Amino acid sequence: MTPKSILELNQLIQATLESELDPVYWVVGEISDFRQAPQGHAYFELVEKQGNQVLAKIKANLWQFTYRTVAARFESITGSGIKNGMKVLAQVAVNFHPLYGLSVNVKDIDPSFSLGERARIRQETIDRLTVEGLIRLNARHELPPVIQKIAIISSPTAAGYGDFINQIESNPDNYQIYHKLYPSMMQGNEAVISLINSLKSIFADLDQLKPDAVVIIRGGGAQLDLDCFDDYRLAVAIARFPIPVLTGIGHERDQSIADLTAHTQLKTPTAVAEFLLASFREFEENLNLALTRLDRSTRFQLKNTEAKLNQLSHQVKATGDSRIKLESEKLKSKAERLISSSRNKIRIAENNLVSLEKSILKGMLQFVRTQEQELQSKSITLNQLDPKSIFKRGYTRSEVEGVPVDLAKLKVGEKLLTYSQKQKIESTITKIESK
């Protein structure tokens, strides 16, 4: 057999492939090493993987004219441009060049396949997180009534981050929220690792920063631009984070897996800011309500206490008046008995001792005067015992909760009620000195 040159061998391969293969094939592969040339062509590799292992790959070309058409249609349907990491269904023509080797020329890319593939992977991730008990794991952490310190994960140049900071710093109530930014990529192939690294940095600063929550914010974008927030690794990092994680990612129509595993999901960065400020307003309203209730309760208790004290005062006064009257009646009765007895003695003495009339009369008169003096003395004593008489002499009576001060166990800070002839004085005990 005559030896062939390399060129001849490659030309034979080229001719064989062109004669034996169909004009086009539909193949499934992941885009890798994507780059766009200045002339408008796109070059990349189509890769088949099993887990992280590459099983096969082939060079692919998208020539300028085809690329413009295919890329425009793909972006209009999926909301994202063709980029690395996408799994696509591509129509290709096999091409073998004697100098450049084997490659495929891409004729078309089916955008509906990419959307369906994305939905399938997303659902598989959600199912896995659910089985592992991670979907609501971060929600077990309790948010404080007022969120005063936050760690922010965002792109420092993003409009959503700027809107968020402006809203919390320019709030009309002047609520103060301390915040620290941990910059991160928010889209692209490196976004997942960047986001996880930011969470690790916050974790390392927890003891020093002591944030109440982590806030992940990103403005809206194309659906496929948010793919990083559907990544299983990021979802696990959020679910297992030791403090609450709040998300404000995308527009109203978007919900990422990161949202599902976060403690609290809010639609946009501005919605997150409003949520934080609302915690201040709600706490302030509850505090004012509690103060109002406390004031009403205090007034009610004071009114009841005053009424009880007045009632006790009347009871004490009534008791004192009754005792004075009783003692007076006893003394009067005793005096009457003494007088009656004396008169009987006088009559007996007059009948039996006429001769001693003058002497007895003198003695009797002296006895009567003595008894009258005793009665007068006791009457004075009774008058002195009358609280009104005591008050008239300038004395006062003091008690604590209805108990006289000499019987009560006094304490510093207790309320002391002092009664004079015309006044009732309320004071507070500041010092007690034993004698």
Side-chain angles (χ1 to χ4, degrees), residues 144-193:
V146 179
I147 303 171
Q148 297 177 288
K149 289 185 178 182
I150 57 173
I152 306 171
I153 298 178
S154 184
S155 170
T157 59
Y161 171 71
D163 292 341
F164 175 83
I165 295 299
N166 181 66
Q167 190 167 350
I168 64 172
E169 289 187 346
S170 303
N171 69 87
D173 298 306
N174 293 319
Y175 299 135
Q176 299 297 314
I177 301 177
Y178 174 81
H179 54 86
K180 182 177 180 180
L181 174 66
Y182 290 80
S184 173
M185 297 177 64
M186 304 302 284
Q187 67 182 60
N189 293 335
E190 306 300 322
V192 172
I193 299 301

Side-chain angles (χ1 to χ4, degrees), residues 4 6-17 96:
K4 295 184 181 294
I6 298 298
L7 176 60
E8 289 175 332
L9 178 59
N10 282 350
Q11 287 175 339
L12 177 61
I13 294 172
Q14 182 181 21
T16 302
L17 291 175
F96 185 85

Side-chain angles (χ1 to χ4, degrees), residues 382-401:
L382 285 176
N383 289 331
Q384 289 175 343
L385 290 175
D386 187 351
K388 294 180 180 179
S389 176
I390 293 174
F391 290 153
K392 288 178 181 179
R393 294 201 304 273
Y395 291 97
T396 60
R397 174 171 57 87
S398 297
E399 58 185 41
V400 175
E401 295 184 351

Side-chain angles (χ1 to χ4, degrees), residues 30-33 83-87 189:
E30 181 180 310
I31 294 176
S32 175
D33 196 23
K83 57 186 178 181
N84 285 328
M86 287 184 175
K87 199 168 187 179
N189 293 335

